[in-house]
Every structure is written in C-alpha cells, then in structure tokens.
Amino acid sequence: MQQVSLLQARHLAVPGGKAVFKRDKPHLNVGTIGHVDHGKTTLTSAITKVLATSKGAKYRKYEDIDNAPEEKARGITINAFHLEYETAKRHYAHIDCPGHADYIKNMITGAAQMEGAILVVAATDGPMPQTKEHLLLARQVGVPLENIVVFMNKVDEVPDAETRELVEMDIREQLNEFGYPGDTCPVIFGSALCALEGKQPEIGEEAVKQLLDVLDNKFVIPERKVNEEPMFAAEHVYSIVGRGTVITGKLERGILKRGDKIEIVGGTKDGTTVKSTISGLESFRKTVDQAEPGDQLGVLLRGLGPKDVRRGCVLLPQGHKHKVTDKVKAQLYVLKESEGGAKTPIANYFSEHVFSLTWDSGASVKIVGKDFVMPGESAEVELSLNSQMFIEPQQRFTIRKGAKTIGTGVFTDVLPPLTNEEKDPKSKKKLMKAEMERLGFNPYGELAEKRLKPDFSNSPKDNPAAKAFEGQP
Ligand SMILES: Nc1nc2c(ncn2[C@@H]2O[C@H](COP(=O)(O)OP(=O)(O)OP(=O)(O)O)[C@@H](O)[C@H]2O)c(=O)[nH]1
Ligand SMILES: [Mg+2]
C-alpha cells in the first residue's frame, strides 16, 4: 500500500476536499472498453472536450488521462482511469480501461464498476482479441444488455462506405456471440481524433454528441439497492500520514455516512477482520454527506494501519451476518480458443487464478463428476482459495492464466472454510496422488509442475482431454 501525505491526498479521489457533491441528476457509471490502440483514451478526452463547452466537464487532455499526475503519484499508470462529466440529463463517472492484455487485471476491477460500456472499435482494424475479451468481461461483470454502444473509431482513415459496413457487420456478429443484442445495438461512425482536433465535425464533434445522446436516452440506470445493508469492495488502499487509511471503489449497495461503524472483511488466511469508523467520504474530490449505491468513493477510515486493509477487502456495517470463506461451489465455463480462451482444459486439483469483485486469489479446482473441463464445456466445481474472501451466491468470477481469460463462472453455494488439514500442502499432495491412481496416469508430471499444462503424454489414447493436445508443440 502506498503512503501519501494529506497534501498529496487532496489530489487523489480521497477525502480532504472542500466542495460538496451535488446530487441533482441521476448517476451512471460508464466506460470505454476495446482493443489496444483503438482510441479509447482519445475518445474519453474528446467527450470531455465536447462537454466542456456546455460546462458539463473539465476538459481533460489526452496526456492528462493517459499520464495523469494522480496516476503517477499512485505509481499505477496502467490502472483504469476515472473521471466525471455531466450532460443536461445525467451525471457520469467514466472509466477509461487500458486495452493491453497485461492490464486486464486492472480492467476487471475497473469494469466491475461499469454499468454501461462504450465499445471502441477502430474501423481500420475491426474487432480484435481484446475487443472480444472486453465484451466477455462486460457480460461477466453484468453490464446490462441495453447499456452497450459501439463507437466505430478512426473512420477518417476509412472513407470507403463499403469497408465501414463490413466492419459494422463484423462487430454486430461479435456482439451477438457474447449475448449482446448485436442487431439493434447503436453503432456510431466517428473519429475521436477529429473531435479532439476540431476537424470534420460530421465524424468528430457530431459523432461524440450522438454517443452522448445514446448514453442519455438509451442506457438504463440499474436499480439502486438503497435499502440493503451497505457493501463496498476496496479497489485501492492508501494510508494518509496522520489521518488513517483511505479505500477507493464503488458503493455496491446501501447507504454510507460519516460516523458509520464498519468492519473490513476478507483477504486474510484465517478470516480475521478489523473494525473502524468512517471519518470522511468523498467523490471526485467533493465531500459527500450521504453515499448512495453506484457512487465512486474515497472512504477515510479512522485509526487503521497499512496492514489492516488490502485491495479486495470488503467494507460492511458492524453487526453484519456475512461469513467470509475460502471454499465455494461454482458453475464454471471454460472458454474455447475462438472465444479468446486456451486450447487446454482445466484439470482436477490444478491451481488457477480466480478474480471476483476487486479481489484475486490462487485457487485449487475440484471438478464435480468429471476429470477435466474442456474448452467450450461447463462443470460444477469446488474452489479452495488461498485466503478467505467475501463471496455471495450469484457473484461472478473469472479465471485467468498469464495474459488470458480462460474461464468464467458464477459462485453458487458458499461452503464452510477449509479445515487446517485441508489447507495442509501435504494433504493436497495426497489428493493429487489418489487422483493419479484413479486416472491411471500422471497429468501432474514435469510439464504440469511448471504450471504450463497437464501432461497427457502417458494417458490412455481415448482420453478426450489428451486429444485437445494433439498436434500441439
Ligand atoms: N486517424 C485516427 N487516429 C486516431 C483516432 N482516435 C485515436 N487515434 C490514434 O490512435 C492511437 C491510439 O489511441 P489511444 O486513444 O491511445 O488508444 P487506446 O484505445 O486508449 O489505447 P490503449 O489505452 O493503449 O489500449 C493514437 O495515436 C491516437 O492519436 C481517430 O479517430 N483517427
Ligand atoms: Mg488508453
């Protein structure tokens, strides 16, 4: 966790500012997603430029977004960037997600706060691997079906109408593939760069205005769970010298006020929690009297030290009934290669990296009733995590390996935490050994130990999982 002074903190989205947050318009969390270099940051900057003329935004230059001082201060330049703007109708928090595959971890937490998505696709390239991956993640984090719009960017470089139409067809097909209404989803032809540079207004400024019109009039505001117990997952944690600890993220549900007594749960091996009091609340550097679901917040917590809170922890009110756990049942889908997944299956007792809300953890996978989950298949699984986490039924998760999303799923039943024996590495080895005997071969051989993929070289020839490796180096 980063230590910052109060002066530095004033530049972060954390309590310390003087202005008071006005709540006079409906609020929606949106963001730009899409393949690397397709123009997400340029479009984000162009939106602020167009809205700055009506005082709906502070104009943010491209460099400010991609290389912002607060990002530098945090030392997390690769993180998703948050900014705010407003139209006559709505107030928006906007997340600019980086497209580079390595940054998906940050995108997952950034996108976890996204309720509407602007999918940027360059007309020069068409849909690319991260276009697909971001679409999948948007589905995973529950971006509603009506809350997606395509901004086909860089049309200044593709003057030919036929080519544009081909790209549009391709995009619509991709949307359908991921369960979004590809046939009816608005596709806007534009150029973020032209909008930014004040050139060719018909594809520049006008296209951005069309986009804002879709956000205002087509995107729906999800139901805000105002009357439920508050829940807030920490995305970033800062310790402010002399004032305590600040956690930033989105309030999932309920109401938070200054003075509320809270408990921080999740992220520890033994399920220990810490208690504190909220001593300040802020959104975009303005003081918030009462935080509502969907708000992007900095929450200042009294008396907590650097070791008490981590990214992925969850803030709950004291007296809550939630029990964290490191064991959970889930329904898992393993992505096909054509969906951006891997060629290889997920094997029993293998260790995978699970992401949910703002947390991530190593997890060993026990598959119910199957030896492997092949790409394109789904299965019921039991996950044993390395730490005890905030998990609820219906909460979604993603499994990633290296720079790839290989599986997605939903938690179904929360199980009691692992016993000490179950956690013991020796008993894990025993389980693996028993599994090898049952299978009649060793999928946990030398290759597997390197965590590359299970080794089926000595498996029976008719093993379907082994077939997946045929013809591979
Ligand atoms: N010709 C043209 N170039 C554009 C347009 N929009 C963006 N670009 C250029 O495309 C390049 C990438 O733009 P970015 O906005 O950084 O793309 P990004 O999607 O944010 O990229 P990552 O954050 O790295 O994933 C830059 O050189 C932009 O100037 C456009 O409408 N027309
Ligand atoms: Mg960018």
Side-chain angles (χ1 to χ4, degrees):
M1 179 173 54
Q2 202 186 349
Q3 295 252 339
V4 293
S5 70
L6 188 57
L7 192 70
Q8 280 171 304
R10 284 187 196 282
H11 298 285
L12 300 171
V14 298
K18 291 244 162 45
V20 175
F21 185 75
K22 275 198 302 201
R23 196 182 293 282
D24 53 3
K25 285 176 195 168
H27 171 80
L28 191 66
N29 294 297
V30 297
T32 34
I33 56 173
H35 193 73
V36 60
D37 263 1
H38 277 195
K40 299 176 292 297
T41 305
T42 311
L43 180 62
T44 302
S45 173
I47 292 173
T48 65
K49 182 160 190 207
V50 169
L51 284 172
T53 53
S54 58
K55 302 248 178 326
K58 180 176 175 292
Y59 171 39
R60 302 282 204 139
K61 287 195 194 126
Y62 179 91
E63 308 79 66
D64 293 346
I65 300 171
D66 232 27
N67 206 6
E70 50 260 65
E71 298 294 286
K72 273 191 204 144
R74 293 170 182 180
I76 40 170
T77 47
I78 57 166
N79 189 47
F81 184 86
H82 296 251
L83 52 83
E84 67 169 337
Y85 49 80
E86 57 189 279
T87 60
K89 201 168 166 185
R90 288 179 173 171
H91 177 267
Y92 295 95
H94 177 116
I95 308 149
D96 178 36
C97 285
H100 193 285
D102 290 352
Y103 306 154
I104 291 286
K105 174 173 170 177
N106 290 302
M107 148 113 197
I108 291 170
T109 57
Q113 307 178 357
M114 213 185 268
E115 298 157 338
I118 304 164
L119 178 67
V120 181
V121 185
T124 43
D125 271 353
M128 296 290 280
Q130 270 98 55
T131 314
K132 292 188 191 189
E133 182 161 33
H134 286 193
L135 262 181
L136 171 81
L137 289 170
R139 275 294 269 154
Q140 271 305 109
V141 301
V143 171
L145 297 183
E146 42 295 61
N147 285 8
I148 191 150
V149 54
V150 175
F151 192 88
M152 198 199 290
N153 194 30
K154 306 197 187 185
V155 303
D156 54 312
E157 286 191 8
V158 182
D160 168 32
E162 210 172 304
T163 314
R164 290 183 191 175
E165 272 163 33
L166 281 177
V167 176
E168 180 186 344
M169 270 164 60
D170 214 0
I171 298 171
R172 292 195 183 279
E173 203 174 298
Q174 290 292 328
L175 286 165
N176 281 329
E177 200 177 301
F178 287 95
Y180 281 106
D183 303 334
T184 53
C185 174
V187 176
I188 295 163
F189 290 49
S191 163
L193 196 62
C194 286
L196 203 54
E197 293 180 343
K199 293 181 186 155
Q200 302 188 56
E202 66 292 355
I203 55 168
E205 192 180 336
E206 286 312 313
V208 172
K209 284 186 177 157
Q210 269 180 45
L211 172 68
L212 291 168
D213 188 58
V214 170
L215 301 195
D216 272 353
N217 297 310
K218 198 174 159 293
F219 279 22
V220 294
I221 302 219
E223 189 206 343
R224 306 287 186 205
K225 296 174 181 158
V226 180
N227 296 321
E228 291 183 19
E229 198 173 76
M231 192 276 260
F232 175 98
E235 191 188 354
H236 294 291
V237 182
Y238 309 94
S239 108
I240 299 187
V241 183
R243 283 202 61 190
T245 292
V246 168
I247 56 180
T248 61
K250 182 184 89 171
L251 181 58
E252 268 324 301
R253 52 186 190 238
I255 298 279
L256 287 179
K257 289 202 220 52
R258 197 181 151 159
D260 281 357
K261 294 194 181 322
I262 59 96
E263 187 166 2
I264 299 289
V265 308
T268 56
K269 290 227 183 284
D270 56 359
T272 44
T273 65
V274 289
K275 291 186 175 161
S276 174
T277 304
I278 296 178
S279 54
L281 279 169
E282 185 161 307
S283 187
F284 294 104
R285 277 158 238 161
K286 287 172 228 134
T287 305
V288 176
D289 297 330
Q290 172 169 301
E292 294 182 6
D295 286 357
Q296 298 288 339
L297 294 174
V299 182
L300 182 59
L301 298 171
R302 187 175 299 152
L304 293 189
K307 294 215 175 82
D308 295 326
V309 202
R310 285 151 300 277
R311 171 198 186 102
C313 285
V314 171
L315 178 154
L316 296 174
Q318 286 180 20
H320 68 88
K321 297 277 186 296
H322 185 85
K323 289 195 170 50
V324 289
T325 190
D326 46 12
K327 196 171 178 188
V328 63
K329 249 193 200 154
Q331 195 66 35
L332 168 71
Y333 174 74
V334 178
L335 296 180
K336 289 187 272 195
E337 212 189 353
S338 61
E339 294 166 321
K343 284 185 191 152
T344 51
I346 285 184
N348 236 339
Y349 299 114
F350 255 70
S351 187
E352 303 292 349
H353 206 136
V354 174
F355 294 78
S356 185
L357 296 176
T358 58
W359 59 257
D360 62 272
S361 165
S364 103
V365 182
K366 167 91 187 74
I367 306 162
V368 179
K370 274 187 191 180
D371 299 334
F372 309 96
V373 197
M374 305 294 292
E377 275 183 8
S378 65
E380 191 183 353
V381 293
E382 259 177 46
L383 301 173
S384 301
L385 307 176
N386 291 348
S387 295
Q388 299 203 20
M389 297 299 185
F390 182 95
I391 296 175
E392 294 176 311
Q394 298 314 309
Q395 186 174 313
R396 295 185 173 269
F397 67 91
T398 301
I399 293 186
R400 295 186 44 77
K401 192 165 248 159
K404 258 193 184 155
T405 300
I406 60 164
T408 74
V410 57
F411 297 125
T412 50
D413 294 297
V414 176
L415 304 172
L418 297 167
T419 60
N420 282 339
E421 200 198 324
E422 283 174 310
K423 279 189 214 171
D424 184 5
K426 274 191 209 138
S427 64
K428 280 193 198 163
K429 271 209 179 123
K430 233 193 244 169
L431 279 174
M432 279 207 172
K433 216 171 148 211
E435 178 70 3
M436 275 188 260
E437 275 165 20
R438 192 179 69 77
L439 287 172
F441 73 102
N442 175 13
Y444 311 106
E446 207 187 316
L447 264 179
E449 271 158 31
K450 286 188 204 146
R451 296 268 176 102
L452 291 175
K453 53 192 175 190
D455 175 12
F456 296 100
S457 53
N458 56 356
S459 80
K461 280 282 162 284
D462 56 351
N463 184 324
K467 285 208 178 100
F469 292 91
E470 272 170 17
Q472 280 191 53

